[in-house]
Amino acid sequence: MVGQRRLRWWAALFLAPAVVLTAVFFYYPMAYILWLSMHHWNGLSPVKPFTGLAEFRHLFKQPIFGLVIRNTAIFVVGTVVPSIAIGLALALLANRRLPFRSFLRGVSFAPYLVSFVSAGLAWVWMGSSGGLFDHLMGFLGFHPGNLVDNPSYALLYVIAMYTWKMAGYNMVLYLAGLQTIPREIYEAGAIDGLQDGWTQFRTITWPLLAESTFFVVIINLIFSFRAFSAIYVMTNGGPVNSTTTLVYYIWNLAFVQNSWGQAAAASALLLIVVLALTVGMVRYFTKESFRAS
Amino acid sequence: MVEATPAPKAPVSPKRRRPAEFWRYVPYMVIAIVVFGFPFYWIIVGSLSSNTAIATGSIPLFPLHPRWANYRDAWAYTNFARQVLNTLIMAVAVTASQVITSSMAGFALARMRFPGRQALFIGFVATLIIPFQVIALPIFVLMANLHWINTFGALIVPTAVNAFGIFLYRQFFLTIPESFEEAAMLDGANPWQVLWRVYWPLAKPATVTLSLLTFIAEWNSFYLPFLFTETKSMYTVQLGLVAFQGEFATVYNLLMAATVFISIPVFVLYLMGQRAIIEGIATTGTKG
């Protein structure tokens, strides 16, 4: 038998690679980004003078900063809400004993499997003038032209692509949740007069899916804040910055404008927002489940 | 609203209920399948169309004269072969590293007692919240200082550990009875041997799930190789696709052909390991 002391050495050995890599590639960069957000740097200069909160002030004073925040909010809410709602609807449909239900599952999950680059490029083509959507909307007497070149539609179009891609993922998460609900509950509900579908959903399914919803909301928020490649490939942040979100702006500040201090300030802002939302969700849902019990 | 409840219905036999239910839900199923599936069909049709059909927007609904040569032309145009090789090297190395680092850490967290174990576990899992874009700039500076930009080191090492894998193995190892470990220890095996000879083979489902999900994520990844590579000879497939778009912005038939062949490996892996992939996503969903 190995003694308690020697066992600790083994534990340290097993954990060493993961701890070192996590420290170097997660915790050190987080500390560095907070440090850099208080220093001025152009990405090349050997000196990085301390500037306090000046980089944040410069960032907030950027003429497009308000637009970036607005775009980010629209993108996150506009992707999270519909992709969860559609994912839940798909799960409810695919959970019924219907023929072709595994085909339905496979088809709606397929968009999640392809890369954002491939899906984005395909949607650029489908949204081009003379493309699929141009034809379809033409039937309604509506000719928006090239969707990704139109400042009024570009953000909505990227949101539509993103929702198409993520709904099937949410369906998988909700299907797992639905399968934990025992059939007997519905049978008991039917005896109590809960017969029609909507009442059943409202009083049984939705409350029992609370745990799934909690996880689905958090993971979708995290994913949506990260969305970069779809925007880069489809619109390059344009036209006239109408699709520039916070992550796109971070990249632009650092690698196009060489304002690393401001890029770091924007990264710190993103970090704070994502952490605050996650902690907020956790607290909200734990409170809710206390109330329910 | 529930009005005067009708007399409790006699249980309806599934045989009689199925057609009625089916016809009620058929419209929704058709809509869902068209919305999610039609773009795939359309991409394939586009990839087989001629330049004129693409340019004039007069693509037939059924490709009666498929131009298979589009695939050959798209493949030959850039050095996709080299980019596929680069992506394979990156994806295999990252997957192998994550399997090794995750199973070791997951074993220690599930099976060994030491101070700070819970805090360490939370410290790993908390990294799942952090968007890569937040930490990308410092990692870029680190890679530049190491002169690793445009090398495999930058493509592999920063993603060699992932808290999802640690979580997956920890949960799996927690379900294995302690008697396995005790029996092996009595036979004189040290913890290293217990992990790799006893526990790791039992955790094959976790390994399959983690490997498939990691490989697909690496194959599809864009931001990291986008920042950390400079030359076309180091590009991964997704970067190759974007470069292709840059040069042939409106030659959509070739672009769609490239999109199709670059997505094939992911679909092959999915069809091979459908169950492991779906369960991997679903269990992390329910166990949060």
Side-chain angles (χ1 to χ4, degrees):
Chain A
M1 289 290 272
V2 189
Q4 195 61 38
R5 264 186 84 125
R6 273 186 57 202
L7 215 53
R8 278 189 192 170
W9 280 108
W10 280 109
L13 175 76
F14 284 153
L15 286 160
V19 167
V20 170
L21 286 165
T22 305
V24 173
F25 294 110
F26 284 97
Y27 286 99
Y28 160 73
M30 269 200 281
Y32 188 93
I33 208 77
L34 295 175
W35 179 84
L36 191 62
S37 69
M38 285 176 257
H39 293 75
H40 184 78
W41 194 39
N42 62 5
L44 288 167
S45 154
V47 288
K48 304 178 182 93
F50 176 78
T51 51
L53 294 175
E55 298 298 325
F56 285 93
R57 272 201 300 277
H58 288 311
L59 177 71
F60 297 157
K61 274 192 203 140
Q62 289 280 356
I64 72 159
F65 184 74
L67 181 65
V68 170
I69 297 302
R70 177 183 158 272
N71 289 343
T72 311
I74 294 175
F75 184 83
V76 170
V77 177
T79 52
V80 168
V81 174
S83 66
I84 292 177
I86 297 169
L88 176 58
L90 285 171
L92 291 170
L93 194 58
N95 198 41
R96 294 186 168 272
R97 288 166 193 273
L98 298 168
F100 301 114
R101 70 169 174 172
S102 51
F103 182 66
L104 173 71
R105 285 179 194 184
V107 167
S108 28
F109 186 65
Y112 179 72
L113 289 169
V114 298
S115 69
F116 275 107
V117 172
S118 321
L121 291 176
W123 277 64
V124 167
W125 170 53
M126 291 192 296
S128 60
S129 51
L132 181 65
F133 290 118
D134 204 21
H135 278 297
L136 290 178
M137 290 193 216
F139 290 128
L140 307 170
F142 188 61
H143 288 283
N146 217 341
L147 283 164
V148 292
D149 289 341
N150 190 324
S152 325
Y153 300 119
L155 185 60
L156 273 178
Y157 191 59
V158 178
I159 287 174
M161 187 288 262
Y162 192 93
T163 305
W164 173 77
K165 214 173 156 321
M166 291 304 291
Y169 177 81
N170 295 331
M171 172 194 70
V172 169
L173 295 178
Y174 269 126
L175 271 173
L178 283 173
Q179 272 145 24
T180 62
I181 302 178
R183 269 188 179 278
E184 295 81 59
I185 295 190
Y186 291 101
E187 283 156 18
I191 294 166
D192 289 342
L194 302 177
Q195 295 275 1
D196 73 305
W198 172 243
T199 318
Q200 264 188 1
F201 174 76
R202 207 166 41 87
T203 53
I204 303 174
T205 317
W206 179 246
L208 288 176
L209 282 177
E211 205 183 317
S212 299
T213 303
F214 165 63
F215 182 77
V216 169
V217 169
I218 286 187
I219 207 152
N220 276 273
L221 277 175
I222 292 172
F223 279 176
S224 282
F225 270 106
R226 287 177 191 191
F228 176 85
S229 29
I231 293 166
Y232 180 80
V233 164
M234 291 176 78
T235 61
N236 249 305
V240 284
N241 299 315
S242 61
T243 55
T244 298
T245 59
L246 200 48
V247 287
Y248 191 87
Y249 196 47
I250 291 172
W251 170 76
N252 189 277
L253 282 170
F255 292 96
V256 180
Q257 305 182 31
N258 292 320
S259 308
W260 282 66
Q262 283 183 47
S267 306
L269 188 69
L270 175 62
L271 179 64
I272 292 163
V273 169
V274 170
L275 285 180
L277 277 173
T278 312
V279 172
M281 293 302 299
V282 171
R283 296 194 61 169
Y284 174 76
F285 272 96
T286 32
K287 240 194 216 161
E288 284 285 288
S289 57
F290 272 126
R291 204 181 295 158
S293 62
Chain B
M1 238 181 295
V2 189
E3 284 146 40
T5 324
K9 285 178 189 167
V12 192
S13 81
K15 241 182 200 167
R16 258 180 55 207
R17 214 173 81 191
R18 187 167 292 171
E21 212 185 32
F22 176 63
W23 288 114
R24 200 174 141 203
Y25 289 102
V26 140
Y28 302 112
M29 289 192 76
V30 171
I31 292 170
I33 288 168
V34 168
V35 166
F36 290 97
F38 189 75
F40 287 99
Y41 173 74
W42 199 237
I43 290 164
I44 292 167
V45 171
S47 75
L48 296 169
S49 298
S50 67
N51 287 341
T52 27
I54 291 275
T56 57
S58 55
I59 299 161
L61 202 51
F62 301 102
L64 296 174
H65 308 286
R67 280 177 52 94
W68 296 102
N70 286 347
Y71 279 83
R72 192 196 58 208
D73 295 347
W75 178 265
Y77 174 67
T78 54
N79 35 4
F80 272 126
R82 173 66 208 233
Q83 290 156 5
V84 167
L85 180 69
N86 290 343
T87 316
L88 279 175
I89 294 172
M90 172 181 81
V92 169
V94 168
T95 306
S97 317
Q98 286 195 12
V99 165
I100 295 167
T101 56
S102 303
S103 47
M104 283 166 67
F107 181 72
L109 290 169
R111 282 287 168 225
M112 292 170 157
R113 259 172 272 280
F114 53 90
R117 185 171 70 156
Q118 197 58 27
L120 202 58
F121 179 59
I122 292 168
F124 282 128
V125 174
T127 64
L128 290 172
I129 302 167
I130 314 304
F132 178 70
Q133 284 87 354
V134 167
I135 53 176
L137 302 184
I139 299 177
F140 180 86
V141 175
L142 186 66
M143 292 294 121
N145 289 340
L146 288 168
H147 301 288
W148 275 13
I149 297 291
N150 214 32
T151 69
F152 281 108
L155 293 180
I156 295 164
V157 180
T159 40
V161 75
N162 187 314
F164 170 73
I166 297 174
F167 174 81
L168 204 64
Y169 276 109
R170 176 187 176 266
Q171 302 306 94
F172 202 92
F173 288 146
L174 281 174
T175 65
I176 297 173
E178 222 161 300
S179 50
F180 279 85
E181 190 179 340
E182 281 156 9
M185 292 283 222
L186 285 177
D187 287 346
N190 62 33
W192 181 262
Q193 293 160 328
V194 172
L195 167 59
W196 296 115
R197 292 195 194 154
V198 182
Y199 275 71
W200 199 71
L202 289 171
K204 204 181 154 207
T207 307
V208 172
T209 298
L210 179 64
S211 304
L212 286 169
L213 289 175
T214 308
F215 190 93
I216 291 174
E218 288 298 307
W219 185 270
N220 285 344
S221 85
F222 177 72
Y223 198 59
L224 190 147
F226 171 67
L227 291 189
F228 296 168
T229 60
E230 281 167 345
T231 58
K232 274 195 170 177
S233 60
M234 275 308 291
Y235 275 9
T236 60
V237 284
Q238 305 300 333
L239 289 169
L241 208 52
V242 172
F244 194 102
Q245 180 210 23
E247 282 168 65
F248 289 92
T250 51
V251 190
Y252 287 117
N253 49 356
L254 298 194
L255 190 60
M256 291 306 113
T259 304
V260 171
F261 64 64
I262 272 166
S263 308
I264 287 173
V266 171
F267 282 105
V268 170
L269 285 178
Y270 174 70
L271 292 177
M272 277 164 48
Q274 195 172 355
R275 201 179 208 136
I277 290 172
I278 295 294
E279 274 172 14
I281 293 172
T283 47
T284 46
T286 46
K287 282 175 190 157

